[in-house]
Amino acid sequence: MNTRRALLAAGAAVLAGCNRVPEITGGFTGASPERGHLLRDGLPAGTPSVVRRTQVVIAGGGIAGLAAARALRQRGIEDFVVLDVEDAPGGNSRGGSVAGIACPLGAHYLPAPGDDAPEVQALLEELGLRKRVAGRWINDERHLCHNPQERLFFRGRWQDGLLPMDDVGAATLAQYRRFAQLVDELRGRTRFAIPASVHPWLPEHLQLDTLTFAAWLSRNGLDDAQLRWYLDYCCRDDYGAGLDAVSAWAGLHYFAARHGFHVPGEGAGDGERDAVFTWPEGNGFLSRALAAPLKERFRPARLVRRIAQTRSGVEVDAFDCAARTHERWQAAHCIVALPVFVAARVVENPPAILQRRAAHCRYAPWLVANLHLRAPLDDRPGAALSWDNVIHGAPGLGYVVATHQSLDPRPGPTVLSWYMAPGEAQRGALLQRPWTAWRDAGLAELSVPHPDVAAKCTRIEIARYGHAMAIPRPGTFATAGAPPAAGRLGFAHADWAGYSVFEEAFTLGHRAGLHARQRGTI
Ligand SMILES: Cc1cc2nc3c(=O)[nH]c(=O)nc-3n(C[C@H](O)[C@H](O)[C@H](O)COP(=O)(O)OP(=O)(O)OC[C@H]3O[C@@H](n4cnc5c(N)ncnc54)[C@H](O)[C@@H]3O)c2cc1C
């Protein structure tokens, strides 16, 4: 039996051994697949019952769309709207709450941005999260992830950090060192930047984009099971797909663009961790701050179904999912901050680059289950409860503790956010299986280190993302990068970057907002 199956069997056995059937309420929350699928399955017939005018329409209110809105306001353009199919802004970076405890519905952290991301730096400064003192950034500690940050449940114990270390053999350590050396050499030769989308691809990037990360590791003789598990975990955690699927560029970018790869206890970089911003509601903190000034300019429940350039401007047709009516917006410019597979469907006469990008993109589905617990969990021996807690060999990606940033030392109710990237083959199951199936999968996994989880859990709310993010698979660079501007249309979304993180979405959105045309300048 492989580790994953053994672990699931162990979890199921623990659950089956519970004295009482847990009375756990719950259901699905977050993005509505029914609304999004109206584009595919057919919208209620009708013509626009109202025509409205504005300077700029931003289609999509995720981080890219919200960043575009902020840039417009910085330019003094206040006459715009943000149309989003959901009831709340933020897209993949929304926050929620379960039983009154704030928790993430999707993205949950932002590493402190480096000098390649001046736009993100400026945002954090504006929000009071950091400031420059004598040329150096000083982060507000209250918003940085408190220690302990991460631990791994490995061979029946919790260990500090996520790289398997307890009792691994000399051969494993040798491969860790070799990988660390290769990453160091690569960083010495080639620049890896975040955001990547606004920097030119370098010849070595292009070469690394021709093969999978798994193939690159094999080519370099890196076949150790623990190293491979760890790297696969990192890819699934960042990209929603494993090292067999993502490109060598993506697998290496994860380390080379940030902290490198360090074997704990060895080397100059040991113990260095990037400062990470996080909040109880995850990056929902950032999306809420970005959306707050928009007020009625954020138009919820608007499914954008057609974007067309006309002789004098742009026409954007939307379906109001709440009122079930059609509306039309006429504007001088439209920023298309939609996933590219949606953009390719709704933009009339889409530019060739959009068609090519959409044809290349394959999407990772994701699931986030927020479990409310009435009391702290029993724990296995080893490292203390951390912000990020990962179970070696499990199908899921572990859980973050929503109350980790609390300064109240008293133990009490909490919410655990359990993440899973189930793989493309499970997209249909994500839509069709009842919430209780995902409840049971999550409980089975968490029962291994915490046998009392089912007994202490009162409620589970599950957010599903059928098309969460473009997988950075080989060949991405042929179509990814700075998105095009086509006449009165600008484009912005993390899909254009080839992989999805806050810095990419925000920077692309900001730039699209800076370049939007105004009426009178056409
Ligand atoms: C589970 C999960 C965890 C993640 N964790 C992190 C993390 O910790 N840190 C990090 O940096 N990144 C994380 N990410 C990546 C995240 O995707 C980016 O950080 C960022 O939120 C992407 O923003 P975006 O605007 O490019 O895209 P999206 O969030 O996809 O925004 C697109 C918007 O368009 C709307 N929309 C779609 N179709 C239509 C339509 N037809 N009409 C109107 N509106 C429409 C959507 O509702 C959405 O609001 C995570 C992603 C997921 C799914």
Side-chain angles (χ1 to χ4, degrees):
M1 201 187 287
N2 67 25
T3 329
R4 185 177 285 213
R5 275 169 41 215
L7 202 117
L8 284 176
V14 175
L15 271 187
C18 284
N19 293 337
R20 64 184 184 88
V21 177
E23 285 163 16
I24 301 174
T25 62
F28 291 122
T29 186
S32 152
E34 293 77 23
R35 284 189 190 173
H37 285 161
L38 283 175
L39 277 183
R40 185 194 67 187
D41 301 337
L43 279 156
T47 50
S49 53
V50 55
V51 179
R52 299 196 169 94
R53 286 168 70 82
T54 187
Q55 284 274 352
V56 182
V57 170
I58 300 173
I63 294 300
L66 295 174
R70 175 174 166 273
L72 290 180
R73 296 189 66 235
Q74 286 179 334
R75 289 173 58 197
I77 303 174
E78 299 284 351
D79 179 17
F80 65 87
V81 289
V82 179
L83 308 179
D84 198 284
V85 62
E86 300 301 332
D87 290 332
N92 290 348
S93 294
R94 280 168 64 183
S97 70
V98 183
I101 298 180
C103 54
L105 292 186
H108 56 284
Y109 75 99
L110 170 69
D115 290 341
D116 286 319
E119 294 88 351
V120 184
Q121 289 183 332
L123 171 72
L124 298 194
E125 190 172 21
E126 177 186 305
L127 298 179
L129 302 174
R130 61 187 339 210
K131 58 183 176 195
R132 258 196 209 278
V133 178
R136 292 190 52 205
W137 285 111
I138 308 290
N139 300 313
D140 183 337
E141 300 264 337
R142 289 171 301 178
H143 301 273
L144 291 183
C145 183
H146 300 164
N147 280 329
Q149 274 193 25
E150 49 194 24
R151 64 176 183 166
L152 175 69
F153 189 67
F154 181 52
R155 297 181 172 160
R157 297 179 50 83
W158 288 104
Q159 59 141 76
D160 187 35
L162 300 186
L163 183 68
M165 286 301 289
D166 280 0
D167 298 326
V168 296
T172 296
L173 289 173
Q175 292 217 358
Y176 288 175
R177 288 183 198 117
R178 173 84 183 124
F179 182 67
Q181 182 195 353
L182 288 170
V183 172
D184 269 357
E185 288 170 7
L186 196 59
R187 296 175 86 195
R189 281 198 306 271
T190 309
R191 185 152 175 267
F192 285 83
I194 297 178
S197 48
V198 295
H199 296 279
W201 305 122
L202 300 172
E204 189 146 4
H205 298 160
L206 297 172
Q207 202 276 324
L208 290 169
D209 186 47
T210 61
L211 73 172
T212 64
F213 192 28
W216 183 91
L217 290 168
S218 300
R219 209 175 260 190
N220 285 282
L222 295 167
D223 56 2
D224 178 77
Q226 299 308 345
L227 177 68
R228 289 243 177 177
W229 173 81
Y230 174 71
L231 298 178
D232 187 62
Y233 168 81
C234 294
C235 293
R236 289 187 296 129
D237 193 44
D238 250 35
Y239 308 131
L243 48 79
D244 287 327
V246 308
S247 70
W249 174 84
L252 291 160
H253 178 82
Y254 180 95
F255 300 101
R258 292 203 161 120
H259 37 61
F261 177 92
H262 306 290
V263 186
E266 296 181 10
D270 175 50
E272 269 180 34
R273 279 189 183 143
D274 288 340
V276 166
F277 287 95
T278 189
W279 302 271
E281 69 275 46
N283 290 7
F285 175 92
L286 296 168
S287 60
R288 209 183 46 209
L290 285 166
L294 302 185
K295 303 204 168 63
E296 72 289 346
R297 282 172 296 196
F298 177 76
R299 304 280 174 138
R302 301 308 205 277
L303 177 74
V304 173
R305 63 182 184 93
R306 174 179 163 267
I307 300 173
Q309 300 197 56
T310 63
R311 287 177 63 152
S312 55
V314 188
E315 234 169 47
V316 179
D317 290 344
F319 177 66
D320 181 335
C321 302
R324 303 198 65 79
T325 53
H326 293 268
E327 64 187 27
R328 172 163 295 168
W329 290 86
Q330 291 175 337
H333 192 91
C334 176
I335 296 171
V336 186
L338 301 168
V340 295
F341 78 101
V342 178
R345 194 183 267 270
V346 301
V347 172
E348 238 174 51
N349 304 317
I353 178 68
L354 171 58
Q355 287 174 301
R356 287 204 303 274
R357 181 85 199 108
H360 178 83
C361 278
R362 277 181 17 206
Y363 286 85
W366 277 77
L367 173 150
V368 184
N370 279 301
L371 290 76
H372 176 265
L373 305 173
R374 59 183 163 76
L377 295 176
D378 293 343
D379 213 349
R380 302 286 192 199
L385 181 67
S386 303
W387 169 63
D388 192 11
N389 305 268
V390 175
I391 300 158
H392 187 277
L397 296 164
Y399 64 88
V400 295
V401 181
T403 50
H404 183 76
Q405 296 298 95
S406 165
L407 298 176
D408 184 348
R410 290 169 298 180
T414 189
V415 168
L416 306 185
S417 306
W418 176 66
Y419 285 78
M420 188 186 204
E424 289 178 271
Q426 293 294 313
R427 181 174 293 115
L430 206 58
L431 192 61
Q432 282 142 22
R433 292 175 76 187
W435 77 273
T436 48
W438 303 108
R439 171 199 67 188
D440 294 347
L443 289 175
E445 187 166 319
L446 298 189
S447 299
V448 176
H450 306 295
D452 55 339
V453 66
K456 287 182 178 157
C457 185
T458 67
R459 183 167 178 80
I460 302 184
E461 295 190 6
I462 297 168
R464 295 169 293 175
Y465 301 86
H467 311 266
M469 50 178 71
I471 299 169
R473 58 198 187 87
T476 289
F477 289 174
T479 55
R488 297 184 180 91
L489 303 183
F491 292 87
H493 188 276
D495 280 358
W496 287 100
Y499 74 113
S500 190
V501 290
F502 182 92
E503 300 92 312
E504 301 288 353
F506 184 84
T507 307
L508 293 177
H510 182 80
R511 292 185 174 207
L514 288 187
H515 295 117
R517 295 184 189 192
Q518 284 177 270
R519 195 165 287 128
T521 62
I522 302 169

